[in-house]
Amino acid sequence: MRILLFTGKGGVGKTTLAAATAVRLAGRGRETLVVSTDPAHSLADAFGTKLTGAPALVDARLHAAHVDTRGLVDSAWDELRAQLRAVLAGAGVDELDAEELTVVPGLDELLALTEVARLARTGQWDTVVVDCGPTAETLRLLALPDAIATYLRRAFPARSVRGMVSGMGRQGWIDAVGRLATHLTELRDLLADPKVTGVRLVLTPERLVVAESKRTLAALALRDIRVDGMIANRLVPKAGMRRGPAATWLRTRRAEQDTVLAELRASTPTELRVVEHRAAEPVGLEALASLADELYGRSDPLGASTSRPPSLLQIRPEGTGYVLRVAIPLTEQSDVDLARVGDDLAITVDGMRRLVPLPAVLRRYVVADASVDGDGLVLQFAGATS
């Protein structure tokens, strides 16, 4: 079973390309589900049909659905709701009803991700293609399991509940926190497994969009989530031997786009495919199949490597200290900040922050120097602390 997550800056065409990929996979005999977690829900427009939260057959071996997070809060996730209620009650927050839970920050994204994982684990489909929201929403979505699980471990360790009063009892509350943390950790592991989950980053060949895409590559690497392919959409066609103002505009624009894509290819080993801008919007199965032919040719959409990328943290001894490499693709424009938080290293890249547990051998050392090379951050640890 494979999960493909399509994301990109709003308006770059990720929904259409996710739908086209699903059509190609189904056409090659794979049972395929394409599902939208984007609040805009334009997947139905791509197929030219109505969709609901229940997977519906839109073609042979191809189902499609929208994730209705509000409906999930009201009906489908009793167990998760109970865990949330128990954790909040144990923390001294009055019990919330289903309607109030809809305003808990991040709950919509968490439920959307949980629903995708549930659908994938039913065994009904060989591949689940996910039309995610725009990049910023996707990064929040993919960061949630790790962030909330870490918060639970830190805010509610077992020893902290001594003397706390809970209607379900101290042990029941501990169990509820543990179940919720386990659920979130399992979600996070599913996303980080390159044999299961891949991210396809959709962009248009413009400098601002490419710059955001590079930041997204770094932010996802910080989460140990693999981007196994990029798609440059809406490449203007070549003018050929044509003359006139329109042909001159096409040549100029195409030359600019080719330059941007050449710079992108030189900055990352991630596979990059291109799709030319079409005169007619690709809507419906036939148009999507034609788009998939241009995008993939004879190749398999799942053909990208599933080898595990380098470990986020790589450590080696050096002199009387150690060198820690953090494998994140950075650019000259990347804004990086480091801070020590107890036994964790807080890494912030372009506004995206993650607490990374330090290897045990480094916890008695301090960061003496930091630099950047082609493979990421290089941190020098020296001077064991008392």
Side-chain angles (χ1 to χ4, degrees), residues 161-229:
V161 301
R162 295 183 184 277
M164 292 186 69
V165 178
S166 172
M168 65 189 307
R170 186 174 69 237
Q171 188 58 49
W173 183 67
I174 294 173
D175 291 343
V177 173
R179 287 194 301 272
L180 180 55
T182 298
H183 170 78
L184 295 168
T185 300
E186 289 174 350
L187 281 180
R188 192 254 176 277
D189 291 345
L190 182 71
L191 293 172
D193 186 350
K195 294 181 179 179
V196 177
T197 302
V199 177
R200 304 291 164 87
L201 186 56
V202 181
L203 56 102
T204 50
E206 304 165 63
R207 292 196 179 278
L208 291 178
V209 178
V210 168
E212 178 177 311
S213 300
K214 290 180 179 180
R215 290 192 292 269
T216 301
L217 288 172
L220 290 171
L222 190 60
R223 298 282 165 195
D224 269 348
I225 296 173
R226 176 188 177 83
V227 176
D228 61 3

Side-chain angles (χ1 to χ4, degrees), residues 85-130:
R85 282 174 170 166
V87 170
L88 292 171
V93 179
D94 291 338
E95 184 174 332
L96 304 179
D97 61 27
E99 186 65 22
E100 290 172 315
L101 278 170
T102 61
V103 299
V104 173
L107 183 62
D108 283 358
E109 291 93 339
L110 177 59
L111 287 175
L113 193 56
T114 299
E115 175 69 354
V116 168
R118 185 192 70 81
L119 291 168
R121 287 167 173 154
T122 63
Q124 290 181 252
W125 296 284
D126 302 316
T127 308
V128 177
V129 179
V130 185

Side-chain angles (χ1 to χ4, degrees), residues 1 17 25 34 99 213 218 269:
M1 185 271 297
L17 293 170
L25 290 167
V34 57
E99 186 65 22
S213 300

Side-chain angles (χ1 to χ4, degrees), residues 90-356:
V93 179
D94 291 338
E95 184 174 332
L96 304 179
D97 61 27
E99 186 65 22
E100 290 172 315
L101 278 170
T102 61
V103 299
V104 173
L107 183 62
D108 283 358
E109 291 93 339
L110 177 59
L111 287 175
L113 193 56
T114 299
E115 175 69 354
V116 168
R118 185 192 70 81
L119 291 168
R121 287 167 173 154
T122 63
Q124 290 181 252
W125 296 284
D126 302 316
T127 308
V128 177
V129 179
V130 185
D131 169 33
C132 299
T135 307
E137 284 78 4
T138 300
L139 291 174
R140 284 200 301 270
L141 176 79
L142 300 181
L144 269 173
D146 195 30
I148 299 177
T150 298
Y151 171 77
L152 288 174
R153 288 194 297 269
R154 288 178 170 274
F156 304 128
R159 64 178 179 273
S160 71
V161 301
R162 295 183 184 277
M164 292 186 69
V165 178
S166 172
M168 65 189 307
R170 186 174 69 237
Q171 188 58 49
W173 183 67
I174 294 173
D175 291 343
V177 173
R179 287 194 301 272
L180 180 55
T182 298
H183 170 78
L184 295 168
T185 300
E186 289 174 350
L187 281 180
R188 192 254 176 277
D189 291 345
L190 182 71
L191 293 172
D193 186 350
K195 294 181 179 179
V196 177
T197 302
V199 177
R200 304 291 164 87
L201 186 56
V202 181
L203 56 102
T204 50
E206 304 165 63
R207 292 196 179 278
L208 291 178
V209 178
V210 168
E212 178 177 311
S213 300
K214 290 180 179 180
R215 290 192 292 269
T216 301
L217 288 172
L220 290 171
L222 190 60
R223 298 282 165 195
D224 269 348
I225 296 173
R226 176 188 177 83
V227 176
D228 61 3
M230 296 187 295
I231 303 172
N233 193 24
R234 299 176 187 152
L235 190 67
V236 301
K238 293 182 177 180
M241 299 300 293
R242 286 174 287 182
R243 297 171 180 264
T248 299
W249 184 91
L250 285 174
R251 288 191 187 93
T252 302
R253 187 74 184 101
R254 178 60 182 257
E256 290 175 347
Q257 291 181 331
D258 285 342
T259 299
V260 169
L261 294 181
E263 293 173 358
L264 178 60
R265 285 191 172 99
S267 67
T268 175
T270 305
E271 181 185 39
L272 174 66
R273 296 179 180 272
V274 298
V275 177
E276 286 194 349
H277 205 313
R278 299 194 163 208
E281 190 174 359
V283 175
L285 292 169
E286 184 176 350
L288 292 171
S290 174
L291 180 62
D293 288 341
E294 179 186 350
L295 176 58
Y296 296 108
R298 295 179 178 274
S299 65
D300 184 350
L302 299 179
S305 172
T306 58
S307 60
R308 183 170 289 277
S311 173
L312 179 65
L313 301 182
Q314 303 166 42
I315 185 173
R316 73 172 190 271
E318 184 174 284
T320 59
Y322 292 88
V323 171
L324 178 69
R325 181 180 296 280
V326 186
I328 307 172
L330 299 172
T331 68
E332 293 180 357
Q333 293 74 35
S334 296
D335 183 10
V336 181
D337 182 68
L338 301 173
R340 184 75 175 264
V341 182
D343 290 336
D344 294 341
L345 184 66
I347 306 175
T348 305
V349 179
D350 295 322
M352 295 297 296
R353 186 172 187 262
R354 183 184 177 189
L355 287 177
V356 179

